[in-house]
Amino acid sequence: MGKVVIQVEELSKVYRLGTIGTGYLLHDLQRWWTTTVRKQEDPFFQLPGTQASPEPGQALWALQNINFEVKQGEVWGIIGNNGAGKSTLLKIISRIIRPSMGRIRGKGKVNSLLEVGTGFHPELSGRENIYLSGYILGMSKAEIRAKFDEIAAFSGVEKFLDTPVKRYSSGMYVRLAFAVAAHLEPDILIVDEVLAVGDAEFQKKCLGKMRDVAQSEGRTILFVSHSMQAINNLCDKGLWLHQGKVKATGSAASVVNDYLTSAQRVQLKQSWTDPEHAPGNENVRLQSVELVPHLLTPDSPLDVRTPLTVKFQFWNLLAGETSLSMGLHLYTYGGELVFDRPTSDRLCRPGLIQAECTIPGNFLNDGSYYISFVITRNTSVDLFRYEECLSFDVADYRGDYNYYGKWVGVVRPNFPFELKPAEAGIGHYQSLSS
Amino acid sequence: MPIPQEDRWDWEIRPQTGWWGTSLTDLWTYRHLAVGLVRRDFLLIYQQTILGPLWVLLQPLLTLITYVVVFGKVVGISTGDTPPVLFYLAGIVLWNLFNDTFTSISSTFRDNAQLFSKVYFPRLIIPLARLSGYLFHFGIQFGLLVLMLAYYFLFQSLPVPNGQWLLLVPVAILLVSTISLSLGLLFSVLTAKYRDMTYLVGMGVRLLMFLTPVIYPVSYVAEKWRWMVQLNPLTPLFELFRRALLGHGVVSLLTLGYSFAFTMVLLLVALLIFNKQGDKLIDIL
């Protein structure tokens, strides 16, 4: 690995909450009067670290004291939750916004691709848009002309180059837009979450193109994505931002793993020692609910492969023998019921009752889920319902499967499904063609 | 001896924005973008209209008819020895250049907020492209004026303008464009920061027209009140434009010098403020 091409030093970006720039001429004049003329503190805002830090709630630290160095030819994946500051960081490196403190120094030409189709105009033809968006991204006329055919071929919409892009399907639009961007030749390329659009084949093509650019041509890439799969496949280095601060840097694989393990917003266990204060009623009271993931190693994330066991314990307070059953409801975070699994009826005496259910691995899709349950008497009378007693996140894992878009569906069962030549079909085809 | 790495950085991003902003080489790199934007705007304005680019001519023609009827006949403002048609058309064409350029540049940041927040290029490209676009419109309208002039020279025995004076026509056009660009740059920053300014631009430009000799000649204004009109740096330029083409107008070295000095100072201030504020504005758009 070569020389350092981007050096980020003590970079911070702070936003004043409310009306940034105050919005009123009168306020700004007042600020100017107090700060510049009378040399006093800004009545509306003070930079932290000077004298008085802004009170919490007045300022938003989009980025706080970020330091890192990128060497030539490295591909960095930047990850973090929404609002972690990823886009702000890319915008500062792209010269779109200014930092509040610190500095960035770099070498070579920087191009950024923060949005697919920047500068595209729906009324203009594909051809016009290739030129216009090329110019906006910093290409010269000669450069675009030289690569025009290549761009058109990459996009796969050659036939429609003279049609206004407003008549394109959204897939064609994205393809054309990305094709222009893919033919940029900067020393440093900055890419923000653009793989979320487009179909599988095209995504593969784009990632392939980016990988070529990075490996064979020695370009440096900074890449933001929510697809851990793409980060793992494409990047050597990872940068994890959390609430504006660097939480971890290092090899992409280890940063991704740390991120997935911690990012899971989970309520894996609830238990109550005192039946008086446990959720329930005069019929039943909860003792504990617990979700046990069967992880490969203790620090690996809970992903689509992980089998999960849900354990319940409750006190049956009903006198005599009662016919009880329980229903386990698994919901997606969006509130869609994935399944309802009831137990069979069982005659129970007063005391602690337990139940256990195992959801196999390779069954749930990635995403957030929660569990509710209901305890029933004689199959039909609801004794107690408890909504959202457990919640968990399932991380993505795709192995060798090269698709990086959101895998749709509520579940992702691993049923046997593959292609092979049908013995009868070969003869049939031969007879057709001969 | 290896050179310390720190000495070889190509670029540096700091919190402070410079007064001088983009360098000329930076602007030159993006010259194709400016041309592309002019082309786009021209294609877009007339797409799906029946008359297409004819609107560039129709607008001043319709305005001309209105002015001739209202100010010439109904109100009865004297245009001196100049035929009213030529007098008004010259005023309209030059005023359009100022009005359109200034108004459109003053909304640079608001119109392009989306684009500016996604990609970096020298922000000055947009105002320059807009100015070029309207200069192109002006060229077409000026052609109409020249045709009308030719008609009057040939068939109405209007005296042909003096060659030396004609050389001053580009000067008037250049200074008017510079004023509209500079004012536009200043107000683009102001309208991005303070929304109230948008209304001021619309209203101000309409009121300014009455302080500019568009619908009346300066010679028509009573001596007592003439200073009010002459305080406007556009006034000598409009008079110069008419003097050069039509042979009548109140022009002196003093008033022209005032216009020139005003324009240069305004341009400098506007460029400095636009560069200093431009990068910061993205945060509040």
Side-chain angles (χ1 to χ4, degrees), chain B residues 190-220:
Chain B
L190 290 174
T191 55
K193 277 190 138 171
Y194 317 105
R195 292 291 148 105
D196 352 14
M197 288 294 166
T198 322
Y199 307 113
L200 191 68
V201 168
M203 192 179 64
V205 83
R206 249 172 285 148
L207 294 182
L208 186 64
M209 193 181 96
F210 293 103
L211 281 182
T212 312
V214 179
I215 49 173
Y216 57 82
V218 169
S219 55
Y220 183 80

Side-chain angles (χ1 to χ4, degrees), chain A residues 13 28 98 104 106 108 128, chain B residues 10 13 39 114 194 279 283:
Chain A
K13 177 76 184 176
D28 276 9
R98 294 283 179 153
I104 303 179
E128 298 277 352
Chain B
D10 293 342
I13 299 167
R39 198 181 138 79
Q114 174 62 17
Y194 317 105
D279 282 354
D283 280 339

Side-chain angles (χ1 to χ4, degrees), chain A residues 80-158:
Chain A
N81 295 334
N82 289 331
K86 305 184 296 287
S87 294
T88 307
L89 178 62
L90 292 197
K91 279 188 177 180
I92 292 174
I93 303 177
S94 309
R95 289 173 73 180
I96 292 167
I97 52 177
R98 294 283 179 153
S100 306
M101 276 157 272
R103 67 175 174 187
I104 303 179
R105 293 183 296 177
K107 292 177 193 137
K109 188 182 167 195
V110 180
N111 267 152
S112 44
L113 184 58
L114 302 189
E115 177 192 57
V116 171
T118 307
F120 262 50
H121 199 289
E123 299 281 346
L124 297 179
S125 70
R127 185 183 306 277
E128 298 277 352
N129 270 316
I130 290 182
Y131 275 98
L132 196 61
S133 96
Y135 295 149
I136 286 178
L137 294 172
M139 292 164 99
S140 75
K141 198 171 188 168
E143 230 179 303
I144 303 175
R145 200 175 280 155
K147 288 184 187 160
F148 190 88
D149 293 334
E150 215 181 310
I151 293 174
F154 188 87
S155 72
V157 298
E158 296 109 313

